[in-house]
Amino acid sequence: MNVTIVDYNSGNISSVINSFNEVAKNKVKLKVTSDLNKIKSSDKVVLPGQGSFKSCVDALNNIKGLVDTLNEFVINHKKPLLGICVGLQMFADIGYEETETKGLGWISGQVSKIDNQNGKYKLPHIGWNQINILKDSKIFKNIENNPHMYFVHSYEFIPEDKSVISSTTDYSSNIVCSIEKENVFGTQFHPEKSDKTGLKIIDNFINL
């Protein structure tokens, strides 16, 4: 099985690569690339994202044909894709970080700044927080509820269809932490920085 981590120059993804290498060893072939043919021939794709919504969308668009290839992978071929942090946020129709920016439009919704209730909550939301698993998601297989996961973000994904939400965390309000819709998976937290539970989530994705 081939798993590809999309490297589209969106910040440092070494911890994503290292954790997937740790979990994937002897199981799957792991590639880190933006080569369209290699992405097309993959069984699964990981879309990381660091920095702002706009900078990540711009970086995707800067590689000719990449967005079309990802659309084909997800929508036409219905192969599994895991978005991490801004990688998840880009599933939305639109994001409001820096400026209004069009997302990939895979899951209807928007990415807005977390309401910090006039400074009551610090932004970015950074560090460990408990998540509440809301549905029997394939990536949470054999994980007990309320694990602590690692977050770094100031913006949240608000999907129109609440049935896609697989977990939330309580920070100023119920913030969406992960989604699952058919073959599309995403986590707002960083599984690659979330100790053994995070590695288990990565393992679950690889074993889908």
Side-chain angles (χ1 to χ4, degrees):
M1 191 204 303
N2 294 313
V3 177
T4 296
I5 296 171
V6 183
D7 183 5
Y8 58 102
N9 308 315
S10 80
N12 180 13
I13 59 168
S14 57
S15 54
V16 174
I17 296 163
N18 291 340
S19 57
F20 268 84
N21 269 325
E22 188 180 329
V23 173
K25 58 179 178 237
N26 311 325
K27 276 201 242 183
V28 296
K29 282 185 188 151
L30 191 67
K31 289 178 288 201
V32 183
T33 184
S34 60
D35 182 300
L36 304 186
N37 288 324
K38 285 180 180 163
I39 293 168
K40 282 176 188 171
S41 66
S42 299
D43 299 298
K44 297 187 177 100
V45 158
V46 181
L47 184 64
Q50 269 195 332
S52 73
F53 186 94
K54 182 181 184 303
S55 69
C56 286
V57 170
D58 287 350
L60 278 186
N61 286 322
N62 282 342
I63 298 172
K64 195 179 172 198
L66 181 55
V67 170
D68 288 341
T69 298
L70 291 172
N71 282 334
E72 199 179 299
F73 188 90
V74 166
I75 295 160
N76 302 358
H77 298 300
K78 296 248 180 258
K79 291 185 187 175
L81 179 139
L82 174 67
I84 297 173
C85 197
V86 185
L88 153 72
Q89 293 181 359
M90 289 192 294
F91 296 173
D93 298 314
I94 197 158
Y96 293 102
E97 190 169 3
E98 287 184 52
T99 177
E100 193 178 296
T101 307
K102 196 168 174 266
L104 292 165
W106 294 341
I107 294 178
S108 292
Q110 63 179 32
V111 176
S112 308
K113 195 163 193 175
I114 295 168
D115 177 9
N116 69 353
Q117 298 182 21
N118 298 322
K120 193 174 156 193
Y121 290 86
K122 279 184 188 167
L123 289 182
H125 167 217
I126 187 164
W128 295 87
N129 213 337
Q130 239 178 355
I131 69 166
N132 179 27
I133 298 170
L134 300 178
K135 69 175 188 178
D136 192 15
S137 171
K138 292 170 190 159
I139 61 169
F140 291 131
K141 189 179 172 192
N142 297 330
I143 291 173
E144 286 190 20
N145 200 8
N146 305 125
H148 285 81
M149 308 307 283
Y150 189 82
F151 292 85
V152 186
H153 65 123
S154 299
Y155 283 73
E156 59 174 325
F157 175 41
I158 304 165
E160 283 175 17
D161 176 6
K162 301 304 178 211
S163 74
V164 302
I165 301 168
S166 56
S167 71
T168 58
T169 192
D170 190 23
Y171 193 80
S172 130
S173 65
N174 256 341
I175 289 173
V176 173
C177 297
S178 62
I179 64 103
E180 176 175 333
K181 185 185 179 187
E182 295 167 0
N183 53 311
V184 179
F185 302 83
T187 64
Q188 180 62 65
F189 54 80
H190 288 270
E192 78 281 6
K193 294 177 181 171
S194 296
D195 210 29
K196 284 179 184 162
T197 309
L199 291 177
K200 178 63 182 156
I201 286 169
I202 291 169
D203 188 51
N204 284 338
F205 177 71
I206 285 174
N207 289 324
L208 281 177

